[in-house]
Amino acid sequence: MGKEITDRIVDSFIKLAEIDGISYGERKVADHLVKIWKELDVTLDEDSAGEKIGGDTGNLYGFIPGTGKLKDAEPILFCAHMDTVSPGIGKKIIVHEDGTITSDRTTVLGADDRAALTVIYEGYRQVLEEGEDHAPIELLFTPAEETYTVGASAFDYSGIKAKKAIVPDCSGSFGAYASGEPSLVYFEITVNGKSAHAGFEPENGINAIAASASAISRIKQGWVNDHTSLNFGTIEGGTVSNAVSAKVVIKGEIRSAIHEDAVAAYENVVKVFEEEASAIGATAEFFYDIRLKAYRTNESETGSTLEIYNRALEKLGEKSFPKKSFGGSDNNVLMRNGIDGLCIYNAMHEIHTVNEYTTVEELVKTTQLIKNIMTG
């Protein structure tokens, strides 16, 4: 790929990466995307998800009819998210002499997922300029993915035509794809005891901290088994050192590659806390939210999205390989809505840190990959 195209891809990435757009505040990112896609005669429509999720931006959706011999081919959906994690305000992008692209190390770079937004745009731009036939293309750019796919979950999929989707949101090496992503159960536990003076009449109190500690000590944390993890992340309770604690609030999460095991682990948490609270006369209240539901990638070669990915990679002399993921992406939502999605490699490394980086070479190569998928 020539220097002019390479420079253009890098410039597109920098312009996108520099825009502030942490979760629930993606307005400027969406406006930029609407503008640049309009320059390619593609209209992006925005839904009302922003209002539903408490953000300033909805999902952007666009449809591009197929052309030439691929006019009636099966449509394919390209999905990427507009938000970044914090610290993500005031990003300053640096292109180093060796081709590495970073922030100034005071913020994230935002290659997660601005690199994906870039290569989808530049891939289609090249298809247009070279006059290649392409399959019908659907575009879905989502807000608030980093907060457990909230934006994608609020989208109405009844109008989606594609049965297959490409989601560039997998870190690692070129050719990687997520072999599956987990269920994630977020939970909050409130243990209610009874306050009393700790020095004069402790026997008249019911210590919520004691009940919570007893329960936590009975529950295995970290890896519950080889595919399920459990974590108590925060605990808040008590008021002063000379009063028996009347209330404790505990927050945590469970992740599992098998959805039923995530649910079973949560049910065990509830059982143990109820037993320990009841044992000393306290009570326990529970709240949970299934923020991700596990899926396994369809790795059947024939007719799968993975087959499309493999064909596109072969044109570049590359091969795909599976990668275990314990994160989660918009692909969890697509799969839940009956779309055979594939979370593929995106040009991003050390994501969610101020050391995040991408490279010029990877952005260019991934643009070519996306172009191959569109025209394959």
Side-chain angles (χ1 to χ4, degrees), residues 126-311:
Q126 288 185 38
V127 170
L128 274 185
E129 290 174 347
E130 295 171 16
E132 291 196 56
D133 296 342
H134 64 80
I137 295 168
E138 289 183 283
L139 305 169
L140 179 60
F141 304 138
T142 65
E145 185 273 349
E146 297 291 3
T147 55
Y148 304 110
T149 68
V150 170
S153 297
F155 184 72
D156 179 5
Y157 291 87
S158 62
I160 291 290
K161 303 171 179 61
K163 299 300 182 184
K164 296 180 173 63
I166 295 293
V167 184
D169 201 13
C170 180
S171 60
S173 303
F174 193 84
Y177 68 90
S179 59
E181 295 182 281
S183 286
L184 192 156
V185 180
Y186 168 83
F187 61 82
E188 297 179 9
I189 306 165
T190 301
V191 179
N192 298 300
K194 179 184 176 183
S195 184
H197 195 288
F200 298 157
E201 50 177 10
E203 70 279 4
N204 291 329
I206 300 174
N207 197 315
I209 290 177
S212 300
S214 295
I216 291 172
S217 70
R218 288 178 53 190
I219 298 170
K220 185 177 181 181
Q221 296 181 63
W223 290 108
V224 177
N225 53 43
D226 64 358
H227 59 270
T228 307
S229 66
L230 185 152
N231 183 59
F232 295 108
T234 68
I235 180 166
E236 299 176 359
T239 52
V240 292
S241 62
N242 61 353
V244 174
S245 174
K247 182 178 179 180
V248 169
V249 178
I250 300 161
K251 300 178 182 180
E253 68 166 40
I254 298 163
R255 299 183 187 225
S256 182
I258 299 176
H259 181 70
E260 292 75 14
D261 286 2
V263 173
Y266 172 70
E267 290 174 346
N268 182 61
V269 168
V270 171
K271 174 178 176 291
V272 170
F273 268 85
E274 285 181 335
E275 289 175 352
E276 293 301 326
S278 177
I280 65 170
T283 61
E285 301 171 5
F286 304 91
F287 167 81
Y288 76 98
D289 183 26
I290 298 176
R291 296 187 167 176
L292 298 171
K293 187 171 182 180
Y295 74 86
R296 293 290 299 172
T297 293
N298 176 12
E299 296 185 333
S300 169
E301 177 68 15
T302 304
S304 68
T305 308
L306 179 58
E307 180 182 14
I308 295 172
Y309 187 45
N310 284 336
R311 287 202 306 264

Side-chain angles (χ1 to χ4, degrees), residues 20-163:
D20 292 342
I22 59 175
S23 302
Y24 302 100
E26 304 92 347
R27 180 74 270 148
K28 292 180 180 179
V29 184
D31 291 344
H32 179 74
L33 289 171
V34 169
K35 176 180 177 293
I36 62 174
W37 279 96
K38 188 66 176 176
E39 292 170 357
L40 303 184
D41 293 325
V42 177
T43 299
L44 297 179
D45 296 315
E46 185 172 347
D47 69 7
S48 61
E51 299 173 12
K52 298 175 184 176
I53 67 176
D56 65 5
T57 312
N59 293 285
L60 298 180
Y61 170 80
F63 176 75
I64 306 170
T67 60
K69 65 180 183 297
L70 295 176
K71 180 180 179 181
D72 298 319
E74 184 179 3
I76 188 160
L77 172 68
F78 291 87
C79 178
H81 63 87
M82 295 182 282
D83 59 323
T84 70
V85 297
S86 294
I89 302 297
K91 298 188 296 298
K92 295 179 176 61
I93 312 303
I94 301 170
V95 181
H96 301 270
E97 288 187 6
D98 65 355
T100 302
I101 305 175
T102 70
S103 70
D104 64 359
R105 309 296 192 187
T106 64
T107 68
V108 296
L109 171 63
D112 177 14
D113 208 21
R114 306 293 170 79
L117 293 170
T118 299
V119 299
I120 293 169
Y121 173 75
E122 287 294 337
Y124 179 67
R125 194 177 183 181
Q126 288 185 38
V127 170
L128 274 185
E129 290 174 347
E130 295 171 16
E132 291 196 56
D133 296 342
H134 64 80
I137 295 168
E138 289 183 283
L139 305 169
L140 179 60
F141 304 138
T142 65
E145 185 273 349
E146 297 291 3
T147 55
Y148 304 110
T149 68
V150 170
S153 297
F155 184 72
D156 179 5
Y157 291 87
S158 62
I160 291 290
K161 303 171 179 61
K163 299 300 182 184

